[in-house]
Amino acid sequence: MVTVGAAADEELLLALLNTTRMVGGAPTDRLAEPDGAAAWLREQQWDGLPQDIELLRSTRDTLQSLVRGGFGAGSGMSGLAPAVKGVSYRARLADDGIDWELVTPPANALVARAVLAWSELQQSAPGRLRACQNTAECTRFLIDHSKSNSARWCSMAACGNRMKARRHYQRQKSALSNDLTTAGTTPQ
Ligand SMILES: [Zn+2]
């Protein structure tokens, strides 16, 4: 049985959004080359049929801009249409009732799951999927499952500590420059 918005599909969605990263200050795209895309698919344990990489990239780009900029009229949401083309659910009799099986054309099986997970999150937990706030150095996304809904970084290790260190440095620097200004203007 396929459960829409299952944890596995949320991870897949997040992994897809995070295929673009800053490495050494430069933007990179793991789906840019066929070899990189194939390696990424293996990491997702995607042993299904070969995926349409062009569609993976364009769907990812659309999802990234929807998550960053919100959606509605003129948001470019129509860019998701190819990912869900031909997608349906098939009812099947099970021991305890009806199971719904996701049916997709082979080449867009992965993007369809990612888009369905995004849609499910939008409806059940709006705002929980968002961009890392270390926007100067990081282009990653996070899904906040915390009770307080206060997560700001893709990870504390990667961005949280760096941002804290930078704020500490800036506080020290401005305290130092205040001292210098005070020293300079204090009558002797
Ligand atoms: Zn980050």
Side-chain angles (χ1 to χ4, degrees):
M1 176 180 158
V2 173
T3 310
V4 184
D9 285 358
E10 280 187 12
E11 279 176 29
L12 186 66
L13 167 65
L14 198 57
L16 179 62
L17 289 170
N18 287 340
T19 48
T20 50
R21 293 181 182 188
M22 299 293 274
V23 177
T28 63
D29 180 358
R30 295 201 61 193
L31 302 179
E33 302 295 335
D35 284 356
W40 181 80
L41 286 168
R42 278 196 301 276
E43 277 172 34
Q44 309 317 309
Q45 284 155 8
W46 189 260
D47 51 5
L49 293 154
Q51 296 300 289
D52 180 341
I53 304 301
E54 190 62 43
L55 180 62
L56 266 179
R57 270 201 301 269
S58 65
T59 304
R60 175 203 61 199
D61 295 348
T62 303
L63 286 172
Q64 285 182 340
S65 75
L66 289 171
V67 173
R68 287 207 176 95
F71 58 98
S75 63
M77 213 171 120
S78 57
L80 298 179
V84 292
K85 195 174 177 200
V87 172
S88 63
Y89 283 96
R90 184 159 52 207
R92 270 199 327 205
L93 267 183
D95 292 343
D96 56 353
I98 300 289
D99 272 356
W100 291 96
E101 184 189 12
L102 182 65
V103 183
T104 66
N108 59 333
L110 191 153
V111 276
R113 296 184 82 103
V115 169
L116 291 172
W118 167 80
S119 172
E120 172 67 17
L121 269 172
Q122 277 310 325
Q123 285 157 16
S124 67
R128 292 276 176 162
L129 170 60
R130 51 188 179 255
C132 175
Q133 285 190 20
N134 183 10
T135 50
E137 296 170 305
C138 183
T139 55
R140 290 167 59 107
F141 292 81
L142 61 119
I143 298 174
D144 189 351
H145 287 294
S146 72
K147 207 170 176 181
S148 59
N149 191 20
S150 59
R152 300 167 68 189
W153 327 114
C154 60
S155 88
M156 188 47 92
C159 287
N161 289 334
R162 212 178 299 166
M163 292 295 280
K164 278 182 181 169
R166 188 185 310 155
R167 275 204 303 271
H168 179 69
Y169 170 74
Q170 277 165 351
R171 266 199 305 273
Q172 288 209 321
K173 213 169 95 176
S174 75
L176 183 66
S177 74
N178 283 343
D179 285 353
L180 290 174
T181 314
T182 313
T185 54
T186 306
Q188 297 300 308

